Amino acid sequence: MYTWQRIIGESTFVLHDHKNASLQGKIERTFRNQAPAPVIGSCGTTDHVSTMPELSQLDDFLRIQSHGTDSDDDTEAHKDNETGLRDIHLEDGRVWSNTLYMDVYGIPEIWLSYVSQTTRVANIMDYLDETSVQPTRTFQECLQRKTAQLENRICSLSAQYSTSGELSPPRDNQNRCTTSKPTMASRAMMRAMTSALLILFYRRIRKVHPFILQAHVNDVIAALKDFDLAQDVCDIKNPGTPWPAFIAGAEAMSTTSRDWLMGWMQKGAMQSAFNGFTASQQVMREVWEQRDRVDKSMEKDVRSPPEQRLTGKRRKDAYSWVDVSREGNFWLMLY
């Protein structure tokens, strides 16, 4: 439960103090070090870094790793039981056969590991964008290689859960009820989570335009519809997690998609005392308003003389929830 809450919570934490002297020193040492089997997102650290608890930051385990493995040779390897028990932050990218995530959440541990890795890579890239630090060429090559490796793994995982429309109205609710909750609902939510993870990766890491992600937004919506249908079979009122709906909703461009995802969040808010459903709505609306405002400005811009047109720096057509969180100085938690 700690690992779930920490990694999901930190996936939407973007209020990093990039000018913190202690943190800068640790990251710069990471850049200079050349480890033989670097961990994704960090590309190697020194033992000296891991023995400095007085300098620890909230997101250190997602920023800088001092142990674990993620080398190309270990892609299909499995963690031994002792490593699996101690790897509470999922720094080790290998599979652990004794994990309990499917039993507790209906979500495989490897999915949560990819969320952790995506967040770590995004943190490093944000740091490089916000500071004048120049990493070594070795580090840059490592980061590019590991990012491509992570992309392939996330896409492969998503392909395993890409089948939609697998639920149909039951002929006998009484007989279907025992299986719909643990299997159909869980699989539908897993489809939503993997599609949302793709969106998270391509927006935070690849920084693609939201237009390219609309098919994945639709996949999240289809999966959440199946999740609701599976729960209706047994008349269960479980709101699920707002995480996939928020990640997709913040990138939704069509009015139909936005309205449906907003409605799903509003329904969750009525079923749960958790503030994540309500806070998500506010952020999504802010993102949509900013983008729509820019769209209107660009329409006018096209008809304006060249000397009066907006510059690229002033355009915010790719405005995101990250911008809203940073400008509002708040942390949106979506367990």
Side-chain angles (χ1 to χ4, degrees), residues 3 67-70 74 77-99 101 109:
T3 305
H67 55 86
T69 180
D70 195 37
D74 291 325
H78 287 251
K79 288 184 279 191
D80 59 79
N81 199 52
E82 182 67 16
T83 301
L85 286 172
R86 294 181 177 276
D87 188 23
I88 63 173
H89 294 144
L90 303 185
E91 301 169 25
D92 192 320
R94 296 174 297 173
V95 176
W96 185 36
S97 58
N98 291 329
T99 178
Y101 281 98
E109 181 179 283

Side-chain angles (χ1 to χ4, degrees), residues 187-202:
R187 186 171 179 84
M189 181 55 72
M190 184 58 197
R191 282 171 34 221
M193 300 290 264
T194 54
S195 295
L197 176 56
L198 277 170
I199 295 173
L200 180 71
F201 177 88
Y202 282 109

Side-chain angles (χ1 to χ4, degrees), residues 32-85:
R32 290 194 298 268
N33 186 59
Q34 298 182 16
V39 179
I40 193 164
S42 69
C43 293
T45 59
T46 64
D47 293 337
H48 176 63
V49 173
S50 62
T51 59
M52 300 172 65
E54 72 279 3
L55 299 179
S56 64
Q57 303 293 321
L58 177 64
D59 64 333
D60 273 358
F61 86 91
L62 291 181
R63 257 188 210 279
I64 304 175
Q65 306 304 318
S66 56
H67 55 86
T69 180
D70 195 37
S71 64
D72 296 335
D73 295 336
D74 291 325
T75 302
E76 304 299 331
H78 287 251
K79 288 184 279 191
D80 59 79
N81 199 52
E82 182 67 16
T83 301
L85 286 172

Side-chain angles (χ1 to χ4, degrees), residues 113-153:
S113 175
Y114 293 163
V115 174
S116 175
Q117 294 175 41
T118 298
T119 303
R120 282 184 270 148
V121 173
N123 287 342
I124 288 292
M125 290 185 168
D126 285 349
Y127 180 83
L128 294 176
D129 289 340
E130 296 294 327
T131 66
S132 59
V133 175
Q134 294 296 323
T136 64
R137 181 176 179 179
T138 299
F139 181 91
Q140 295 180 35
E141 293 174 347
C142 168
L143 187 60
Q144 292 176 0
R145 184 178 71 255
K146 293 301 181 181
T147 300
Q149 183 185 90
L150 177 59
E151 180 178 15
N152 291 335
R153 293 181 180 182

Side-chain angles (χ1 to χ4, degrees), residues 12 196 199-200 203 209-211 213-214 217 220-221 242-254 257-258 261-262 265 280-291 317-325 332 334:
T12 51
I199 295 173
L200 180 71
R203 282 295 277 136
H209 192 281
F211 177 79
L213 301 174
Q214 296 313 295
V217 170
V220 172
I221 293 175
W243 194 87
F246 170 74
I247 296 297
E251 308 305 333
M253 297 183 68
S254 72
S257 298
R258 290 178 176 181
L261 289 165
M262 183 61 70
M265 285 294 195
S280 296
Q281 298 175 43
Q282 299 171 357
V283 177
M284 288 159 59
R285 287 193 182 97
E286 178 65 22
V287 173
W288 299 342
E289 290 173 2
Q290 289 282 358
R291 289 184 181 171
D317 51 314
Y319 194 84
S320 75
W321 61 265
V322 175
D323 299 307
V324 176
S325 297
L332 182 64
L334 303 173

